[in-house]
Structures are given as C-alpha cells and as structure tokens.
Amino acid sequence: MTNDRDKQISEARFHKLFDDTQAMSIQGYRVDGSVVYWNAASEKIYGYSASEAIGRSLFDLIIPQDMRDEVKQAVAWMFDNEEGIPPARLNLKHKDGSTVPVYSSHTVVSLPNDEPIMFCMDADMRSLDIAEAEVQRLSYYDSLTGLPNRRLLLERITSVMRSTSSEKSAAALLIVDIDKFHSINDSLGYSVGDRVLTNCAEALQKFSSSPDDLARLGKDEFALLLPCSSSSLDAVAAEAELMATQILQKLKAPLILEGRSHQLTACIGITLFECPGTLSGDELLRQADIALKMAKRSNTNAISFFDSQMESLVKKRLEISQALNHAVENEELALALQPQVDQNQRIIGFEALLRWQHPKFKSLSPNDFIPIAEANDSIIALGDWVLEKSCQKLVKLAAQHNSKNVKISVNVSAVQFRRGDFVARVKNILQSTGANPRNLCLELTESLIADDINFIIEQMASLRELGVSISLDDFGTGYASLAYLTRLPLDELKIDRAFVRDLDGSSKGALLTETIISLGRSMNLTVIAEGVETEQQFKRLQKMGCQHFQGYLFGKPAIG
C-alpha cells in the first residue's frame, strides 16, 4: 500500500510540474501520433487548449505539410528504438496557421505493462528571434534615422568592388556634413537636433537609388554611394557633382525649429573609384573624408573631390596640428608688434601679432596656422599666451613716461570668444600681470556676428566692464549689418586692408572706406585703417577724416 501511495504522490508531483511549467511546452503522443498529454504552455505556444488537442493527431495539429513525411519517419524510428533523437530547432505550426519557431527535444518513455509514449518538450523561440532580429538591426542600421550604418555601407562597397563584370565601370562615394550642427544641439537641445537629422535623412533618401546606398556615419555625417553607372570617371564625376549640388540645394529648404525658420548648409567630399577594384571601403571613406575636410576649409566651394595632392596637404596639416599642440610648452612662440599711429605719425599703440618659430614650419604665416589651431582648439592656449605676453608688454610700456597711455590690440579668435569662460580668462590675465585694462583693445572679427547676437553682445559688454576696449576688425568684409552694428558695444572700427589698397580715384574701395569713416565718426567710434603702405594712401585717408593708421609705411611687425 505504501509503495502504491508513494507512486501516486510521485505521479501527482510530475503532473503538477508538467502542467504548471510556463516556459516549456510538453506534449505526449502515442505511436500513431495521437495526443495523450498537452500542458498549459502548449496551449500558449500553439493556440490549442488541452481539450482541443487531446485525441487529435500530432501531424494535423502542429506539423507543417512539407515536414510531415520526415516527422512521421522520425516518430516511427523513436518508437521502434524506444529512444529520442537529437534536439533541433524546428519551425512548427500555430492554430492560426502562423509559424512557431521552437527548440524541440524528444524522448520515448516505455514502462512495463504500459504503452510507450513519446514526449516532446518545445521551447518557444519567437521572443529570441525578435531579440536576434533587433540585435541584427542595431548592428547594421542607425537607430535614429533607420538608415544603414557605417558597417552595412562598408559591406555594400565591398559588394560593389567585387563585381564579377569583366568590364570596368566607375562609381563615386559622397560624404555630406551638416555645417555648424553642434550649435543647433547647444542652443535648441538634442531633441531638436535629432529632428534635424531625421529631416536630412529623408531629404537624402530622394537621391539614393537603393536603400543600401545611403548611410549615416555618425553625428552629422551621411554617406551616399553612387553605384557604377558609367565606364568613364569623368562622366561619373559630372554626375556626382550635379547630385552634390542638388543635395546642397535640397538641404537649404527652410526648417521650422522651435517656432523659428532655420536654413541648413552643408559641405560634401567626393571620391571616385573603379569597380571591380582593390580599394577597401575604409580607404574610400578616408579619401572622401579628406575631400570633405578640404571643402569645409574652403571659403568658395562647398563641394570638393579627392586627389593625391589633396592627401599630401592633409598629411601636412595633420603634422602642423600636432605640432601646434606643443607650441607653448616648447617655447616656440614669439610676439611681434606693429605700430599704430595718429595723423601726425605719433605712435598711439601696437597690434600684437603671433609668430610661430617651429624648426620645420618656419615659413608658415599666421594665415596658414591659425585656422588649423582653431580647428583643433589649440587656439585657446595660443590665445592665452598672446594675451598674457601683450599684458606683460603693457606693464613695461606703462613704466615709461612717454608710453604709459600706449595701447596694444590683440586679435581674438571666434573660437576663443564663443567659449563661456573667455571673459573670466581675460580678467585673470589682467589681474595676474597687473596690466591696465584701459590700454588693452580686443579685436573681434565680423564672422562672430553670424552666431547668437545676444550672447555676443553680453560677452562684449562684460569685457568693457573690465575696462577693455573692443574693436571690430576687417569691417566691411563680413556679416555686420547696420542694425547689428548699432547694438554692439564697440569702441573702434578697423578698415580692412583690401579697401585701403583700392583707394584710387572714385573706386568702390574709396567709396566704402569713406562710408565707414563717416559711419564710425557718427557713432563716436575710433576708426583705424590697416594696410597703409604709401604716402598717397595715407594722405587720401586723412582727407576722408580717418584718425588712426597702421601699415608698412609706419613700421613692419617686429619681435621685441
């Protein structure tokens, strides 16, 4: 009796275990395939309740038509040998006809005085398949725009390059970079920035002949593959340039962001290649990126093609960039001062000009290395050095009786000025050197005004509160409209040398120069003309009412 009772308890335990198992479908079948056991998880996975399943055939319930013969053979073998077969992944059938992927294990239980039963234990793989599909998607697609990512683009390029065609054809790869995208994130927030990127992706899709030919490389960069469409590199170059021009035009369509209209601009780098070919996708992306960098540095062309000469220029630029990072610590910098004079040619101040005395790059002018310093942010250290040395020089001049009111003007990069800590840096340097702030003039370029005008005005006002004066450099060549000019807390306008060179007769340069001088005087601003090289220019400027002058006529920049 005890043994029977123990047996009943044991069977009850196993029945409850099988019935309550939620993660595993467990079914029992006779040799003819009819169902004798069907737990709750089976109903969940296959859609049939136990009452619907029991007594019906395995083959009718969950085995797809094209698998039935194979499954019948496997079932017969298991009953003949009274053992299971290796577990496997199978695509079985749901009550509604859909496919149910499972991982299925089988065994045959044969007890004395009882018929053998085949038990199947199936784990539902649908959630795993969904997860695997999502992992696959994330591996190959950008989560924000839904475009292919760099990895999928590289595979696409490899496929194009391995073309089995015996005839050579040409193709192009374009990289599109959105200008000043970081300012959208900074001023309007990342959610607005994301909206801009998705808008750009939608615009670029109109130029893609295949879903795999457009990719987001990251941040604000997209890549577009122009597949092999011609045997001529020249023909593909013309097609790529036309496409790039159309893309730039398309991206200029006004966007309404936070209630205000914004117009995007972009730069595009293009590289051409033949297929089939041996270049890797990484190499083509590198070439297109080099072309993009050249386009971004150009003031005249937003589209640039890669060539070998361009590559050597980029390598040199990289060398210069790396060297600039160590220019201050290696004591390679020098300060040159160019005199500024009044109408009687008496020195009233100097402009401080940076000189870089690097053993390899001796011939580089500031016009060559300053843009590189701005691009890699080493301009912050260079700018601090110039400001500190200029203030130290002011202290020395103040000790001389005839020079105590002489000013020094220091050029300030837009990169420096846009930093939130610039005013604090100037204040710290003035305090540490003991220089009189009223003898320090900071020269700002008009390009600054293309950005947040309220921030610019706030910064300028804070600097003037320190006692520093502000000059607008190269006036007339940039962005300063009269409306902006009246709002800026300025002390001085500086006439660009290009206008001074063009003072002959009734030239456009003469007209603009006279207008600037009149404008400055009407606003109680000091006006200084730079680039004065001849007596004729000096006299003409005096007749126009200009007060202060700078140029080779009065002295070249000298280190000392």
Side-chain angles (χ1 to χ4, degrees):
M1 291 291 292
T2 302
N3 288 340
D4 289 342
R5 186 171 177 277
D6 289 345
K7 181 180 178 182
Q8 289 174 353
I9 292 172
S10 179
E11 287 178 353
R13 285 173 178 164
F14 277 103
H15 266 290
K16 183 163 181 58
L17 174 64
F18 282 14
D19 289 341
D20 291 350
T21 297
Q22 297 295 314
M24 184 75 69
S25 164
I26 301 174
Q27 318 115 47
Y29 300 98
R30 291 190 176 95
V31 68
D32 63 356
S34 60
V35 179
V36 295
Y37 180 75
W38 192 266
N39 74 344
S42 299
E43 178 178 350
K44 183 179 178 181
I45 292 177
Y46 295 111
Y48 297 98
S49 65
S51 61
E52 289 177 305
I54 290 176
R56 291 185 63 182
S57 169
L58 156 71
F59 309 107
D60 293 334
L61 287 175
I62 63 174
I63 305 300
Q65 185 67 42
D66 60 351
M67 289 176 58
R68 288 184 183 179
D69 290 342
E70 183 183 353
V71 173
K72 284 179 179 179
Q73 291 175 11
V75 170
W77 186 91
M78 284 189 281
F79 277 103
D80 288 343
N81 293 274
E82 294 190 347
E83 63 177 273
I85 60 176
R89 183 162 178 161
L90 304 174
N91 288 321
L92 301 183
K93 186 178 67 172
H94 191 273
K95 180 181 179 179
D96 63 12
S98 62
T99 298
V100 182
V102 297
Y103 189 75
S104 188
S105 300
H106 316 81
T107 188
V108 173
V109 177
S110 180
L111 299 174
N113 304 317
D114 197 3
E115 66 176 325
I117 299 295
M118 178 185 73
F119 284 94
C120 296
M121 288 153 283
D122 298 341
D124 191 350
M125 302 296 287
R126 281 174 295 189
S127 58
L128 180 60
D129 283 353
I130 292 171
E132 287 179 346
E134 180 64 10
V135 169
Q136 181 80 349
R137 189 185 70 80
L138 292 174
S139 297
Y140 285 98
Y141 291 88
D142 173 52
S143 59
L144 175 64
T145 63
L147 295 178
N149 61 15
R150 180 188 180 95
R151 180 179 178 184
L152 184 54
L153 177 70
L154 289 173
E155 291 189 8
R156 169 72 172 135
I157 293 173
T158 300
S159 174
V160 169
M161 295 295 278
R162 288 177 179 171
S163 168
T164 56
S165 172
S166 58
E167 295 184 2
K168 286 274 188 182
S169 56
L173 179 65
L174 297 76
I175 295 183
V176 182
D177 179 272
I178 309 303
D179 292 336
K180 298 182 180 177
F181 176 73
H182 64 87
S183 65
I184 294 176
N185 279 338
D186 292 345
S187 60
L188 300 178
Y190 285 92
S191 61
V192 175
D194 287 349
R195 206 162 81 237
V196 170
L197 291 174
T198 54
N199 185 83
C200 291
E202 290 171 5
L204 291 171
Q205 281 175 323
K206 293 178 173 58
F207 298 93
S208 175
S209 58
S210 163
D212 291 344
D213 289 342
L214 174 65
R216 183 186 175 204
L217 299 181
K219 293 185 179 179
D220 56 350
E221 284 190 351
F222 298 85
L224 186 62
L225 182 64
L226 183 60
C228 308
S229 57
S230 171
S231 59
S232 164
L233 283 172
D234 288 343
V236 171
E239 187 178 350
E241 186 169 26
L242 176 61
M243 178 183 283
T245 302
Q246 292 171 340
I247 287 172
L248 294 178
Q249 195 63 37
K250 183 73 175 176
L251 293 176
K252 282 183 180 179
L255 278 175
I256 304 300
L257 304 174
E258 300 298 291
R260 294 177 59 189
S261 178
H262 289 256
Q263 189 176 56
L264 299 179
T265 58
C267 290
I268 300 177
I270 306 172
T271 189
L272 307 175
F273 60 97
E274 292 183 319
C275 46
T278 57
L279 291 177
S280 68
D282 279 322
E283 173 61 18
L284 291 174
L285 281 174
R286 188 186 68 83
Q287 290 181 1
D289 189 58
I290 288 173
L292 175 66
K293 287 182 170 63
M294 298 302 287
K296 291 172 75 172
R297 286 194 290 272
S298 172
N299 293 322
T300 58
N301 198 353
I303 301 169
S304 181
F305 283 84
F306 170 82
D307 61 35
S308 56
Q309 183 180 5
M310 182 183 294
E311 186 172 19
S312 65
L313 289 173
V314 169
K315 286 181 178 177
K316 181 180 179 182
R317 184 182 174 92
L318 180 60
E319 279 187 81
I320 294 170
S321 177
Q322 291 171 340
L324 280 169
N325 287 325
H326 306 286
V328 175
E329 63 187 81
N330 291 342
E331 299 182 349
E332 296 166 353
L333 304 178
L335 196 67
L337 299 176
Q338 184 172 28
Q340 297 174 335
V341 301
D342 62 14
Q343 292 177 327
N344 298 315
Q345 298 195 41
R346 289 182 302 220
I347 292 177
I348 51 142
F350 296 92
E351 180 178 3
L353 300 167
L354 179 62
R355 296 293 183 260
W356 183 28
Q357 300 171 321
H358 188 273
K360 183 176 180 179
F361 306 116
K362 294 176 182 177
S363 60
L364 274 185
S365 77
N367 290 336
D368 293 323
F369 70 77
I370 291 296
I372 299 175
E374 289 178 326
N376 74 357
D377 280 345
S378 61
I379 191 66
I380 306 302
L382 299 183
D384 283 352
W385 184 91
V386 172
L387 192 57
E388 184 173 10
K389 294 300 178 184
S390 298
C391 286
Q392 290 173 354
K393 184 67 175 178
L394 281 175
V395 173
K396 291 180 181 178
L397 289 171
Q400 303 170 20
H401 177 71
N402 60 343
S403 302
K404 62 181 180 179
N405 294 320
V406 169
K407 287 191 172 187
I408 291 183
S409 296
V410 176
N411 292 285
V412 177
S413 161
V415 176
Q416 288 174 275
F417 194 82
R418 291 188 189 114
R419 287 174 60 102
D421 64 347
F422 179 69
V423 175
R425 285 172 176 266
V426 173
K427 183 178 181 180
N428 290 338
I429 290 173
L430 285 169
Q431 289 177 342
S432 65
T433 59
N436 184 349
R438 306 209 172 275
N439 290 339
L440 177 64
C441 179
L442 298 181
E443 293 190 6
L444 310 178
T445 62
E446 284 192 64
S447 61
L448 269 174
I449 303 170
D451 288 329
D452 186 348
I453 186 66
N454 292 325
F455 171 76
I456 302 302
I457 292 172
E458 183 182 324
Q459 289 272 90
M460 292 171 70
S462 296
L463 289 167
R464 292 186 83 211
E465 285 176 9
L466 297 178
V468 174
S469 57
I470 306 289
S471 173
L472 192 59
D473 195 11
D474 301 334
F475 181 68
T477 63
Y479 302 86
S481 70
L482 289 178
Y484 280 156
L485 193 62
T486 57
R487 294 178 60 192
L488 297 176
L490 290 170
D491 299 281
E492 179 181 272
L493 291 181
K494 199 167 190 182
I495 302 172
D496 185 71
R497 66 181 67 246
F499 299 150
V500 174
R501 281 198 300 266
D502 188 27
L503 285 179
D504 296 335
S506 58
S507 65
K508 184 179 179 181
L511 178 61
L512 288 171
T513 299
E514 194 163 15
T515 301
I516 293 169
I517 293 170
S518 297
L519 179 65
R521 294 180 67 178
S522 68
M523 296 176 63
N524 294 318
L525 301 177
T526 300
V527 179
I528 180 169
E530 65 177 344
V532 182
E533 298 182 356
T534 67
E535 283 286 348
Q536 185 179 1
Q537 292 169 342
F538 180 41
K539 290 177 181 177
R540 184 77 190 274
L541 287 165
Q542 283 180 303
K543 286 182 181 179
M544 291 178 175
C546 189
Q547 305 145 312
H548 297 153
F549 313 86
Q550 178 183 335
Y552 283 3
L553 181 63
F554 316 108
K556 294 182 179 181
I559 296 172

